[in-house]
Amino acid sequence: MLSFITWDVNPVLIDSFVTVRWYGLMFAIGFWIGFNVVAKMFKREGAPEKWMGILLIYVGVATVVGARLGHVFFYQWDYYSQHPWKILATWEGGLASHGGAIGIILAVILFSIFTTKRNPLWTFDRLTVAIALVGGLIRIGNLMNSEIFGHETTLPWGFMFVRSQEWQQEYYGLACHPTQIYEALTYFALFALMMWMYWKKNAGERPGLLFGTFLVGTFGSRFLIEFIKNNQVAFEETMKYNMGQLLSIPFVVLGVFLIVWAFTHKRQRLVYPGEFAEKLTDKKRK
């Protein structure tokens, strides 16, 4: 049986006149698959196809901007307040999932106000199914970057992240928890659960149920895994619960509230025409 795994993967997939990193590729694949997952849901329920392009723009911008600003304000404000021009240097690293979540929430609210004219929960319930998958792929990207790993471990699946400067300085010769894999597997399982809930149990008929399940599953697991994950910034060393855990608590509480709310309110029966609204209109005209 293995006593550890030596992880020596190059984070750069293509190093030519165009540089392609595994992390960026995972991000792009996640967005592409996620787009198609949500598109099938919109088509099933007869929503306008044009909403998809608009939603992609809202979510794409909100994810990147929110994740970057989340890192700036939650983790390294002391540095960025003195070097504000560095906020734009996203290629140097520094994205926070909690910031991305806040950005997406704001984007969906605006999307609902200006585009769908529906309760934001309608979009949240469908979008978060795809986001669970995207989150898992992003953690695979973190694995390829040899970043965001955990404390030392004697478990046989511990990883030696030999390309990581942090590992070289703090854990040289010791295997560490591959917390990226732990989170990725959790998110993939959550994606599978939510797909089953939507397609087999029509969970979309209970507004808030899928969104609540996503919040509890994502941030509940994040809270637990943080206990064995390395802190991202120095000030967390003096904290009983690190910043990632503290930021997860409100999301978990909101998720529990939404699940309870969904089951204590009347189910909304939906019609499933199986075509985008534009095609349904064309058929009526014919």
Side-chain angles (χ1 to χ4, degrees):
M1 181 176 290
L2 293 175
S3 57
F4 61 85
I5 297 169
T6 300
W7 188 251
D8 189 20
V9 174
N10 190 337
V12 178
L13 176 61
I14 299 175
D15 188 8
S16 184
F17 61 94
V18 175
T19 299
V20 178
R21 299 179 67 89
W22 282 105
Y23 183 90
L25 179 63
M26 292 297 102
F27 210 105
I29 291 175
F31 262 82
W32 181 76
I33 297 177
F35 179 88
N36 284 280
V37 167
V38 177
K40 288 184 178 181
M41 293 178 176
F42 277 33
K43 182 177 181 180
R44 183 193 186 207
E45 298 183 33
E49 186 175 12
K50 64 181 181 181
W51 285 2
M52 288 302 307
I54 299 172
L55 180 60
L56 179 64
I57 294 173
Y58 271 91
V59 172
V61 173
T63 300
V64 176
V65 174
R68 182 58 173 172
L69 293 181
H71 177 78
V72 168
F73 290 113
F74 296 148
Y75 292 98
Q76 288 191 296
W77 176 242
D78 287 345
Y79 172 78
Y80 288 106
S81 63
Q82 301 300 316
H83 307 85
W85 60 90
K86 283 288 189 177
I87 294 176
L88 299 177
T90 56
W91 56 89
E92 295 181 358
L95 299 174
S97 58
H98 293 90
I102 294 173
I104 291 172
I105 288 173
L106 294 175
V108 169
I109 292 173
L110 293 175
F111 173 73
S112 300
I113 292 173
F114 296 111
T115 304
T116 70
K117 314 296 182 182
R118 297 185 180 187
N119 186 323
L121 288 178
W122 183 86
T123 302
F124 279 127
D125 281 338
R126 288 139 189 85
L127 180 63
T128 49
V129 176
I131 292 177
L133 175 65
V134 175
L137 289 171
I138 288 175
R139 284 296 178 251
I140 296 299
N142 293 137
L143 176 66
M144 296 301 186
N145 281 344
S146 296
E147 62 188 2
I148 315 181
F149 52 87
H151 303 159
E152 63 182 84
T153 180
T154 57
L155 292 172
W157 57 79
F159 275 46
M160 288 191 176
F161 294 97
V162 295
R163 288 180 178 262
S164 166
Q165 184 177 358
E166 179 184 1
W167 182 84
Q168 294 285 350
Q169 293 175 348
E170 299 184 21
Y171 295 101
Y172 184 79
L174 300 173
C176 296
H177 284 286
T179 50
Q180 317 96 321
I181 296 178
Y182 300 167
E183 288 192 65
L185 292 176
T186 300
Y187 300 155
F188 291 147
L190 181 61
F191 169 70
L193 171 64
M194 294 175 70
M195 285 287 282
W196 175 79
M197 290 171 64
Y198 177 83
W199 290 100
K200 298 299 183 181
K201 297 298 180 180
N202 292 330
E205 297 181 349
R206 291 192 180 277
L209 178 57
L210 287 166
F211 185 28
T213 300
F214 169 81
L215 292 175
V216 172
T218 299
F219 294 102
S221 62
R222 173 72 182 271
F223 183 89
L224 296 175
I225 293 173
E226 287 290 331
F227 281 115
I228 58 172
K229 187 191 293 185
N230 292 320
N231 293 324
Q232 293 191 43
V233 288
F235 71 78
E236 292 181 305
E237 297 298 334
T238 61
M239 301 169 65
K240 181 177 181 180
Y241 300 109
N242 65 27
M243 184 60 74
Q245 290 174 308
L246 294 178
L247 292 171
S248 294
I249 293 173
F251 289 107
V252 174
V253 172
L254 176 59
V256 171
F257 169 80
L258 287 171
I259 292 172
V260 173
W261 191 88
F263 280 114
T264 54
H265 286 72
K266 187 177 180 180
R267 190 183 191 110
Q268 298 180 4
R269 297 296 178 181
L270 299 177
V271 177
Y272 302 103
E275 290 285 359
F276 286 115
E278 294 87 345
K279 289 188 177 181
L280 292 173
T281 301
D282 290 341
K283 286 183 178 179
K284 289 180 179 179
R285 288 174 180 172
K286 293 178 181 179

